[in-house]
Amino acid sequence: MSTFPIDLGAYQRISLDPSVPTLTAEQKAALQANIQLCRDAIVFFTSTGAARGVGGHTGGPYDTVPEVMIMDALFRGSDNFVPTFFDEAGHRVATQYLMSVLNGAMPAEKLTEYRAAHSHLPGHPELGFTPGVKFSSGRLGHMWPYVNGVAMANPSKTVFCLGSDGSQQEGDDAEAARLAVAQGLNVKLIIDDNNVTIAGHPSHYLPGCSTAKTLEGHGLTVLEGNGEDLDSLYANICKAINTKGPVAIINHRPMCPGIKGLEGSTHGHDVISVKLALEYLQDRGHTAAVDFLNGVVAPKNDYKFLGSSDKWDANRNVFGDAVVAVMSTMSEVERIEKVRVIDSDLEGSCGLHKIHTAFPESFISSGIMERGNFSAAAGFGMEAGKQGIFGTFSAFLEMLMSEITMARLNNSNVLSHFSHSGIDDMADNTCHFGLNNMFADNGLDDAYATGLYFPADPNQMKAVVSKIFFEPGLRFVFSTRSKVPLILNDKGEEFFGGDYTFVPGKDEVIREGTAGYIVAFGETLYRALDAVERLKAEGIDVGLINKPTLSAIDEDMLQKVGKAPFVLVAESFNRKTGLGSRYGSWLLERGLTPKFAHIATHKEGCGGLWEQFPHQGIDPVGIMAKVKELLG
């Protein structure tokens, strides 16, 4: 720990006995010192993520340090616990990394690589990927059901699960609560109730909802207290341990207590800004940490992509602009009657905040409950002429399969935006990859209409939304977390600009070629276009096809590319379930037998941002290599 700018060697390894619910003066002093030390460390190393441009989350792990310090001391004092800091708020990964260091699994210096590419410190904990991490949390609100099983496997021990008022909004937790109570499982929930989620305050957008009352209603013993009152917190944890069956400890505190500029703010949910971190560390006397943070340089991707412009924009935000443009043609009465937008706490990430600002009368700020919100949008859109709009991350699409089927069976009209598709700029890593989007196309051949659309650039996003907005059926529009450039034609003009009109179901020739064709879409298209331009410069005349409608078969285009020497499908979706897994079958069914290859996401991520694409071999270099392999 010699070069880490905060002396984690000062951590005091005390032991606590839950049969004694009162702290001695010495124990309390040691815990207080540990809490401050660890909070300082979390502010420091998470802020290196902000400085590096990979983001991160500071508030959650910062908030729950007192609970974690007590748990660590309890684990040290007895073998009556499963000694794992299970946490259903996976974005609190800084807790897992800090405790891995304190328990000797990795050096403290490693923390300064927080969320960096190839650092093995992704934005959510992954078992087997990071030294000392003992579980994979997955997405928000998924751990409590899992921990129930851990408790079943360890009936003589106490199992803790750290939670939050946000994660408790997920439906999984309601099911977990019922099972825990019915089976008398020795699970102790320690819930940080700070009244903050990404997009707002639960007390505002879910008035009347109480985490404590909800859990009481499920039959749990519930203890409430001030999470910053160490004596009360420890007494409640001891009482929970000594109470038979499942117990929930609700710890009330403002988000980021004691951090100037963040306390009580929704901004504390994400990574602390470098500016506020520097002020905090300077006030705390951590000069070496200040110097280190000032020296962090964000890596840059200096690769110059051919075939696309130097104008980049985030399609996830352009979606909101495009919807606003369409809704602007309607009167306020029509909007209220015919359109309802339901957010799942991600309006700023999915572009829905644009709609919220422009037309609040049609907008509902809802909680972290994707299944219920999608179904509500579908129910609103059950009547012809009415339109439900829904948005969340693509990784969460997997949670909605039954609801999507139900919406289809009810002939619902839903326009869904799933942002953060694929892997680009996904420092949260594998559990947040949006890989299985094709699952949404799970209806039968004669089912109610379902369309999957992945626009390649901002111009095409506007054209897609404008065209499909009033169409009946389920429409899924995908975008990435990352920005994308404007696609250019071979004359250097904007391909999807001017008088371009999107035609659902039709593929598009971006570049002609005689040697074979690459088929791509979304954020892979501009990378494939760069590969095509470079291959042409080498004398290899490769063509490029954009497939913006993923769920439809373009018979004319299949005949065209199927008669070429080769077809290569390049995408960032799951190699097992993506477009390529279907495309080869479509060709064979029509008697078309070009050489065929498919490159896609196929292994665990490497963290970081654009580095995810070369890691999977689907960057321009990887695409060019596969083309040359096909050509022998």
Side-chain angles (χ1 to χ4, degrees):
M1 300 184 181
S2 58
T3 61
F4 190 73
I6 294 176
D7 181 18
L8 295 182
Y11 187 75
Q12 300 179 48
R13 303 180 187 280
I14 66 171
S15 299
L16 292 173
D17 179 356
S19 67
V20 182
T22 304
L23 295 169
T24 66
E26 293 77 12
Q27 289 171 331
K28 184 175 181 179
L31 282 173
Q32 288 172 327
N34 285 346
I35 290 167
Q36 191 63 65
L37 174 68
C38 291
R39 280 182 162 172
D40 292 354
I42 286 171
V43 168
F44 165 65
F45 76 79
T46 58
S47 67
T48 66
R52 200 176 289 109
V54 295
H57 293 270
T58 301
Y62 178 95
D63 280 7
T64 54
V65 166
E67 296 94 301
V68 172
M69 296 298 95
I70 291 172
M71 290 166 64
D72 189 48
L74 290 168
F75 294 165
R76 194 173 293 109
S78 169
D79 62 358
N80 293 327
F81 303 93
V82 174
T84 301
F85 302 95
F86 288 116
D87 194 336
E88 60 174 354
H91 55 266
R92 291 197 294 230
V93 69
T95 298
Q96 309 304 323
Y97 296 157
L98 178 59
M99 298 314 297
S100 292
V101 167
L102 292 176
N103 290 325
M106 60 182 178
E109 290 79 13
K110 187 72 175 173
L111 296 174
T112 63
E113 301 172 21
Y114 179 67
R115 290 170 65 104
H118 305 288
S119 69
H120 285 246
L121 299 178
H124 283 237
E126 296 183 15
L127 179 67
F129 191 66
T130 308
V133 168
K134 298 180 180 181
F135 67 97
S136 297
S137 70
R139 296 133 193 178
L140 192 69
H142 282 50
M143 280 307 300
W144 184 5
Y146 191 89
V147 167
N148 278 349
V150 174
M152 293 177 189
N154 297 271
S156 64
K157 297 191 175 185
T158 294
V159 186
F160 287 113
C161 182
L162 293 159
S164 66
D165 51 337
S167 59
Q168 283 290 313
Q169 293 176 20
E170 287 285 12
D172 274 7
D173 278 0
E175 298 178 15
R178 291 193 288 269
L179 179 63
V181 171
Q183 296 299 314
L185 301 178
N186 203 25
V187 174
K188 314 301 177 185
L189 298 170
I190 305 183
I191 297 173
D192 178 35
D193 193 343
N194 55 27
N195 193 34
V196 163
T197 55
I198 293 175
H201 304 282
S203 62
H204 296 168
Y205 61 75
L206 291 178
C209 179
S210 162
T211 301
K213 290 180 179 179
T214 298
L215 291 172
E216 285 177 346
H218 285 304
L220 276 82
T221 298
V222 174
L223 308 173
E224 293 189 76
N226 177 357
E228 297 301 293
D229 182 335
L230 199 53
D231 292 307
S232 172
L233 175 62
Y234 179 65
N236 276 342
I237 291 177
C238 290
K239 185 175 182 179
I241 294 169
N242 294 315
T243 299
K244 186 178 180 181
V247 180
I249 306 164
I250 312 295
N251 298 317
H252 300 285
R253 58 163 64 86
M255 170 68 87
C256 298
I259 300 182
K260 297 176 184 176
L262 280 186
E263 182 173 322
S265 165
T266 57
H267 296 295
H269 175 88
D270 208 334
V271 70
I272 188 171
S273 69
V274 172
K275 177 179 180 294
L276 290 180
L278 288 172
E279 292 174 359
Y280 174 94
L281 294 168
Q282 191 68 61
D283 288 346
R284 295 285 307 143
H286 294 298
T287 304
V290 168
D291 293 342
F292 187 102
L293 187 56
N294 277 323
V296 174
V297 177
K300 293 182 179 180
N301 186 2
D302 295 323
Y303 191 94
K304 176 64 177 177
F305 291 94
L306 305 181
S308 52
S309 78
D310 57 1
K311 297 178 182 178
W312 296 61
D313 204 349
N315 263 0
R316 58 191 175 108
N317 288 323
V318 174
F319 173 86
D321 293 327
V323 170
V324 168
V326 175
M327 292 180 66
S328 295
T329 65
M330 307 166 67
S331 69
E332 181 176 347
V333 171
E334 286 179 307
R335 288 192 296 266
I336 294 173
E337 179 186 356
K338 296 182 178 180
V339 181
R340 195 69 80 249
V341 184
I342 303 180
D343 173 53
S344 295
D345 193 50
L346 292 174
E347 62 177 272
S349 297
C350 300
L352 301 186
H353 65 293
K354 303 288 188 74
I355 313 170
H356 191 178
T357 299
F359 307 117
E361 67 273 10
S362 292
F363 194 92
I364 295 175
S365 296
S366 190
I368 308 166
M369 37 200 193
E370 297 83 1
R371 302 168 185 84
N373 290 339
F374 177 85
S375 287
F380 183 87
M382 185 178 184
E383 182 181 332
K386 293 195 175 184
Q387 179 66 66
I389 298 179
F390 172 83
T392 190
F393 291 167
S394 286
F396 306 155
L397 186 150
E398 298 170 16
M399 298 193 288
L400 300 176
M401 301 319 302
S402 182
E403 285 75 13
I404 290 171
T405 296
M406 177 179 148
R408 187 181 294 110
L409 291 173
N410 280 297
N411 293 347
S412 294
N413 302 311
V414 186
L415 176 62
S416 296
H417 178 212
F418 286 87
S419 70
H420 293 54
S421 292
I423 61 174
D424 206 9
D425 276 16
M426 295 299 290
D428 276 336
N429 219 43
T430 310
C431 75
H432 267 49
F433 284 173
L435 298 178
N436 295 312
N437 300 28
M438 300 294 282
F439 284 4
D441 185 26
N442 64 347
L444 301 174
D445 288 349
D446 61 352
Y448 194 56
T450 300
L452 275 57
Y453 307 98
F454 203 147
D457 74 4
N459 285 335
Q460 189 168 46
M461 173 63 85
K462 295 173 185 175
V464 167
V465 172
S466 175
K467 180 66 176 179
I468 70 172
F469 188 92
F470 292 109
E471 290 190 352
L474 304 181
R475 285 135 297 144
F476 297 86
V477 179
F478 303 125
S479 67
T480 60
R481 181 181 185 274
S482 59
K483 292 182 178 181
V484 291
L486 298 179
I487 300 297
L488 304 178
N489 62 22
D490 55 10
K491 298 178 182 179
E493 303 163 335
E494 294 179 6
F495 192 100
F496 304 110
D499 59 357
Y500 168 80
T501 300
F502 173 69
V503 180
K506 299 301 292 183
D507 301 345
E508 300 161 336
V509 178
I510 305 300
R511 295 289 188 274
E512 285 286 6
T514 58
Y517 286 98
I518 300 170
V519 178
F521 57 85
E523 84 289 20
T524 309
L525 188 75
Y526 78 84
R527 292 173 165 97
L529 179 54
D530 175 80
V532 164
E533 295 284 16
R534 294 180 190 276
L535 288 166
K536 286 181 181 291
E538 294 180 18
I540 304 174
D541 187 27
V542 177
L544 176 62
I545 306 299
N546 179 37
K547 188 165 184 57
T549 307
L550 301 176
S551 53
I553 298 174
D554 184 336
E555 296 289 356
D556 294 336
M557 193 65 76
L558 272 180
Q559 290 296 323
K560 177 183 178 70
V561 302
K563 294 172 183 176
F566 77 82
V567 175
L568 169 63
V569 177
E571 61 180 313
S572 64
F573 284 177
N574 187 343
R575 179 171 164 78
K576 291 184 177 181
T577 65
L579 174 67
S581 67
R582 300 183 179 193
Y583 206 91
S585 297
W586 293 344
L587 290 169
L588 286 174
E589 288 169 354
R590 289 154 183 79
L592 302 170
T593 57
K595 284 187 177 180
F596 180 82
H598 173 211
I599 54 176
T601 300
H602 61 283
K603 59 183 178 180
E604 190 168 21
C606 68
L609 301 175
W610 71 88
E611 295 94 341
Q612 300 279 12
F613 260 75
H615 179 66
Q616 301 288 346
I618 48 179
D619 63 325
V621 173
I623 294 171
M624 292 172 67
K626 180 57 71 170
V627 167
K628 291 178 179 178
E629 179 184 319
L630 283 168
L631 292 173

